[in-house]
Amino acid sequence: MTTNQVQTTNIRFAGLGGTGVIKASDIFADVVFRQGHTVKKAEVHGMSQRGGSVQSDVRFGSEVHSPMIPDGACDFLVVMEPTQIEVVRGGLRTSGTLIVPADIDTTKLPSAKSLNVAMLGRLSRHFDFPESAWRESLRANFPEKLHTANDTAFDLGRTP
Amino acid sequence: MPQPSQDKNGRLLLSGNEAVALAALHCGVALGTGYPGTPSTEILEGFSALGGKAQWAPNEKVAAEVALGAAFAKARVLCTMKHVGLNVAADVLFTMTYSGVDGGYVLVVADDPGLASSQNEQDSRRYAEAAVAPMFEPADSQDAYDLLQVAFATSERWRIPVIFRMTTRVCHSKSPVKPRFAPDVIPTAAETGAPATDFVRNIAGRVMVPGHAKPAHRRLRAKMAEMELWNISQGPNLVEKRSESLGIITAGICYHHIREAAPDASVLKLGMTYPLPLATIRAFAATVDRCVIIEENDPWLATALRAADLRIEAKDDATFRFGELSVDRVKRILNKDTSPEPVPPRGKPPELCKGCPHTTSFEVMKELNCIVSGDIGCYTLAALPPLSAMDMMIDMGASVGMGLGLRHVLPRDQAKRVISVIGDSTFLHSGLPGLVEMAYNPPETGHVLMILDNGTTAMTGQQEHPGTGRHLDGSGTHKVNFEEMAHAAGVKNVFTINPIRERAMLKAVLADSLQKDELTVIIARSPCILAAGRIAAWDKELKAKQAADEPAESGSCECGGTCQH
Ligand SMILES: Cc1ncc(C[n+]2csc(CCOP(=O)(O)OP(=O)(O)O)c2C)c(N)n1
Ligand code: SF4
């Protein structure tokens, strides 16, 4: 008996602690989950100190098994911090998509902290989820005073 | 805590820890207690955020004992800790299985295969067998939610504390959960089935003198025999029959790696791993040509099954005993591939935050050429470059004893350089008996103990502790006083210094203390910069309240807020 290969989409967020990696992956997982997919998300958040390497994996599809993305199986790799690109690049499939800060015109960011939201905007181009779903999740995950800045940052990444 | 994601079918996207917290609420847990420790910390924080009564104890042993008292009173209790915490709580564990309980007692222990943030890679499953406690092992968040209910039912039916063993990946991974109650509902006692609390005297059952403990041990073994039969006939174990050539026996997160690595294999997934359902396992093994055990860390299942004379295959422990397993590693185990594994590129290690008060304290120790007996917390990062200013770190509280031991035997010129350094939360956790030892058996050269009081348990994400004057949920309570404790233990020289604002003074006092053949405690007090805003706001609120309660207080000190008065 052979079980059909399950189609799973794998997205890894990477960067340094304090750069919004976990937050971005939480928002992404939220968007996908609300669209009715089965989602799993794995991260190791050990020490609360800033500055160490951080990775967070999100996998979704009709069925997802392991929460961790197998070696070299990332369909998307979103790296928030340029120094980490070479560290994590090996995780990407040959056909996979790499998204890095250079893809964003960072001079137009409302604040340096909003880079993760702009990167989500950039990632959103690759999925046909309604734009409103992204905006709702952003609102649900940030305090109100950041909503306007986040909308600007998201647009910056989303608009080609 | 932001609201968890919810889909149209009422499923929530929860981490394993959040799922346990929600299940605890839905089981009518009357009290959650524990001590922070990655990856277990968010369970009690989540339970509290959901409206449950949750509190931090000074250490895991006390937490397990508070939980035991509550369970003697028929309450349902949840006690949480990381793997090494169970070493601290082991003493009570080994005898509370004898006494048993009247309510439901679930002790969550979170192992950390791969040492994402721990000092060792111990396998706590061995405690279940050694202390004779039933054990459950969830594989994901839904499993954690469901199994916690089974764990409480088991605990109540057999009147015994139950171990709920999780691992980092189960604790911190998110996956969908379909809960019994809507997420915003706090079910009533009638809905949860939680019993009313009551004290019923049972001296022979709860006073574990030898005369009572001997029959208790026999009762315990008899309960285990019954539970094994129950586990065989009704236990939360899953058989997926897909192949006659390959069958895999597993528990916990490995189940999901296996389903991805070997979708065609038959699988027996155990939800209750102690006492093992041997007949179930034997029957499963008999249906396949090749039966492989997949487990992380120790060959615990494999050893038990080999002892039961089962013909099974297990991982190559020279390779796969270390670190967590993954889809790729499970494939290697099944292919008997022990060729060198790809080494992931080294990421950047974490460092102390810019402006962290610990940095200054360790700079000063370095300038004075100290031999530093260290402890666990954010400040352990001072052992790494660029500071490289800590010489040893083993377990919580050990800084005090190790420093004293060094002082007792080193030649005088070296002994005079030794200092013990410990964080505030760690001091209250297990440094206190060390302080008493210091006063009781002082080395000839004296000793210096520095308590790094940053007003929080920073390492695990800024939890409160008895020295912060705040409960788990941030509400106010009594604040224990380090200075008074040092004096009461019998230490003559006690100083409170702000390492950032009074750096020169810290250096002068430390130099002088190292010079003297006396006992000194230096409290280096300055808030963790991540918690400073919150601490300052609370202090302001407290001062305003005190001013309203008793105006015109005179004689306040001039420390600028560094002391506790
Ligand atoms: C027995 C045990 N329980 C829990 C932990 C997890 N842990 C390590 S250090 C620590 C406390 C750190 O707090 P503190 O001493 O105040 O130092 P800080 O991180 O604030 O600098 C905790 C909870 C552990 N390593 N061992
Ligand atoms: S979290 Fe606090 S204690 Fe830890 S390194 Fe940062 S400032 Fe220091």
Side-chain angles (χ1 to χ4, degrees):
Chain A
M1 192 178 101
T2 323
T3 316
N4 283 338
Q5 197 60 42
V6 181
Q7 278 303 311
T8 308
T9 307
N10 300 322
I11 301 94
R12 175 168 292 160
F13 296 82
L16 297 176
T19 57
V21 172
I22 306 277
K23 192 74 163 185
S25 66
D26 274 331
I27 293 167
F28 181 74
D30 185 52
V31 172
V32 178
F33 188 60
R34 285 176 202 265
Q35 294 304 304
H37 296 280
T38 283
V39 183
K40 288 192 182 178
K41 178 174 176 296
E43 78 220 10
V44 173
H45 48 99
M47 306 190 272
S48 65
Q49 305 88 336
R50 277 128 200 272
S53 299
V54 178
Q55 285 189 12
S56 184
D57 290 359
V58 181
R59 314 187 73 193
F60 73 94
S62 54
E63 198 184 354
V64 184
H65 294 302
S66 173
M68 297 143 76
I69 300 174
D71 287 350
C74 292
D75 299 297
F76 295 89
L77 185 54
V78 184
V79 193
M80 306 285 176
E81 161 56 54
T83 60
Q84 296 302 297
I85 297 170
E86 290 319 311
V87 178
V88 297
R89 191 193 286 275
L92 195 60
R93 272 189 214 289
T94 21
S95 60
T97 305
L98 178 69
I99 298 179
V100 296
D103 296 330
I104 308 285
D105 181 357
T106 47
T107 60
K108 292 195 180 136
L109 279 176
S111 75
K113 282 224 146 228
S114 61
L115 175 69
N116 61 344
V117 176
M119 301 280 280
L120 275 173
R122 186 70 187 72
L123 179 68
S124 76
R125 291 193 211 170
H126 297 274
F127 299 94
D128 51 9
F129 306 138
E131 187 173 329
S132 58
W134 295 88
R135 303 227 185 250
E136 271 166 40
S137 291
L138 281 171
R139 289 214 169 79
N141 278 280
F142 283 103
E144 200 175 331
K145 62 175 190 221
L146 294 175
H147 289 176
T148 322
N150 277 341
D151 279 339
T152 312
F154 186 77
D155 287 337
L156 188 65
R158 184 170 173 91
T159 318
Chain B
M1 199 162 96
Q3 283 296 311
S5 312
Q6 191 172 359
D7 73 1
K8 292 175 202 89
N9 305 318
R11 296 188 310 171
L12 305 170
L13 188 59
L14 300 181
S15 69
N17 284 348
E18 290 166 337
V20 171
L22 188 64
L25 189 80
H26 293 176
C27 287
V29 164
L31 178 66
T33 175
Y35 182 73
T38 312
S40 68
T41 313
E42 300 83 7
I43 299 173
L44 289 187
E45 291 176 333
F47 183 55
S48 175
L50 289 167
K53 180 174 168 65
Q55 53 198 39
W56 295 127
N59 69 30
E60 293 85 354
K61 179 175 187 287
V62 175
E65 291 157 349
V66 169
L68 181 58
F72 280 156
K74 297 196 175 161
R76 285 188 186 159
V77 286
L78 186 74
C79 183
T80 70
M81 59 195 65
K82 71 181 285 162
H83 59 345
V84 286
L86 192 49
N87 303 337
V88 178
D91 202 6
V92 55
L93 174 69
F94 275 71
T95 306
M96 71 186 184
T97 52
Y98 277 37
S99 67
V101 291
D102 298 65
Y105 188 146
V106 176
L107 188 153
V108 178
V109 58
D111 280 6
D112 191 15
L115 298 99
S117 51
S118 302
Q119 71 265 37
N120 74 22
E121 203 170 7
Q122 80 183 40
D123 193 328
S124 300
R125 293 176 299 171
R126 296 187 180 281
Y127 272 112
E129 189 179 1
V132 202
M135 173 165 63
F136 293 87
E137 293 191 66
D140 58 27
S141 302
Q142 181 74 60
D143 213 18
Y145 180 85
D146 295 339
L147 274 184
L148 196 78
Q149 300 170 55
V150 181
F152 273 110
T154 306
S155 176
E156 281 173 10
R157 173 161 174 201
W158 278 282
R159 299 174 156 248
I160 188 167
V162 164
I163 292 179
F164 200 76
R165 188 242 186 189
M166 301 174 79
T167 55
T168 302
R169 284 295 167 185
V170 177
C171 290
H172 283 171
S173 295
K174 287 189 178 179
S175 55
V177 174
K178 177 94 187 165
R180 272 167 70 207
F181 300 96
D184 47 351
V185 170
I186 299 185
T188 61
E191 285 169 320
T192 62
T197 55
D198 184 28
F199 182 75
V200 179
R201 174 162 290 151
N202 178 3
I203 293 175
R206 297 196 194 117
V207 180
M208 285 298 112
V209 292
H212 296 162
K214 277 181 202 167
H217 187 193
R218 289 180 186 277
R219 281 200 300 276
L220 173 59
R221 297 289 171 183
K223 284 183 191 179
M224 281 295 145
E226 267 182 53
M227 262 184 269
E228 181 181 340
L229 293 180
W230 176 83
N231 197 9
I232 291 163
S233 63
Q234 291 165 67
N237 309 306
L238 174 75
V239 177
E240 287 174 342
K241 203 66 210 117
R242 291 187 191 170
S243 157
E244 283 170 12
S245 55
L246 175 63
I248 303 175
I249 301 174
T250 194
I253 187 74
C254 294
Y255 166 75
H256 291 291
H257 303 329
I258 293 163
R259 282 287 58 141
E260 189 157 340
D264 300 333
S266 292
V267 171
L268 167 58
K269 172 189 169 294
L270 301 170
M272 185 184 195
T273 45
Y274 194 78
L276 281 170
L278 275 179
T280 310
I281 295 171
R282 215 179 283 284
F284 175 81
T287 63
V288 289
D289 302 331
R290 182 181 174 214
C291 184
V292 184
I293 310 304
I294 301 274
E295 59 187 324
E296 285 175 320
N297 286 165
D298 290 354
W300 181 78
L301 268 176
T303 308
L305 299 186
R306 283 188 175 132
D309 235 359
L310 267 105
R311 270 196 34 250
I312 48 112
E313 231 180 80
K315 68 184 190 298
D316 171 39
D317 282 316
T319 309
F320 299 107
R321 187 178 199 148
F322 309 97
E324 49 179 357
L325 295 183
S326 61
V327 174
D328 298 300
R329 294 188 95 193
V330 167
K331 283 184 184 161
R332 280 172 171 264
I333 294 171
L334 293 175
N335 296 334
K336 299 188 184 167
D337 176 359
T338 54
S339 63
E341 298 179 85
V343 184
R346 262 185 73 84
K348 186 173 168 295
E351 359 179 295
L352 291 167
C353 302
K354 282 206 174 55
C356 173
H358 296 330
T359 308
T360 325
S361 300
F362 281 93
E363 280 168 2
V364 166
M365 286 178 251
K366 198 171 173 175
E367 286 160 19
L368 295 172
N369 194 24
C370 288
I371 295 171
V372 179
S373 174
D375 226 301
I376 316 190
C378 274
Y379 51 97
T380 312
L381 292 171
L384 308 179
L387 277 166
S388 306
M390 184 186 287
D391 293 292
M392 59 205 73
M393 181 286 270
I394 305 293
D395 67 302
M396 283 185 79
S399 58
V400 196
M402 293 189 303
L404 292 168
L406 288 163
R407 285 247 181 189
H408 283 306
V409 300
L410 279 174
R412 187 174 170 83
D413 59 324
Q414 287 187 5
K416 296 294 294 173
R417 291 163 49 206
V418 176
I419 176 172
S420 293
V421 184
I422 191 166
D424 47 351
S425 186
T426 303
F427 174 71
L428 295 170
H429 175 279
S430 46
L432 258 174
L435 173 71
V436 175
E437 164 72 3
M438 174 167 151
Y440 179 52
N441 290 312
E444 261 172 44
T445 56
H447 191 45
V448 182
L449 169 63
M450 191 185 289
I451 302 174
L452 304 171
D453 182 5
N454 61 358
T456 189
T457 316
M459 170 93 169
T460 40
Q462 302 158 44
Q463 289 74 33
E464 305 305 324
H465 62 67
T468 69
R470 296 277 157 184
H471 290 125
L472 182 147
D473 66 359
S475 58
T477 180
H478 174 71
K479 181 171 181 165
V480 306
N481 184 307
F482 295 108
E483 289 84 348
E484 284 172 9
M485 283 197 286
H487 282 303
V491 175
K492 208 168 92 190
N493 311 305
V494 180
F495 301 92
T496 305
I497 305 174
N498 182 317
I500 293 186
R501 279 191 262 156
E502 301 165 324
R503 190 186 196 281
M505 200 212 288
L506 179 66
K507 187 167 174 183
V509 168
L510 179 55
D512 187 51
S513 308
L514 291 167
Q515 213 49 49
K516 287 192 287 220
D517 288 347
E518 292 176 3
L519 299 180
T520 302
V521 168
I522 300 173
I523 295 145
R525 179 167 296 138
S526 181
C528 158
I529 57 170
L530 299 191
R534 191 181 60 210
I535 294 172
W538 280 344
D539 282 353
K540 208 170 135 194
E541 185 188 304
L542 194 70
K543 286 218 175 83
K545 192 175 168 291
Q546 278 168 350
D549 288 353
E550 41 178 309
E553 215 220 289
S554 63
S556 75
C557 65
E558 313 250 305
C559 70
T562 55
C563 87
Q564 299 201 339
H565 297 289

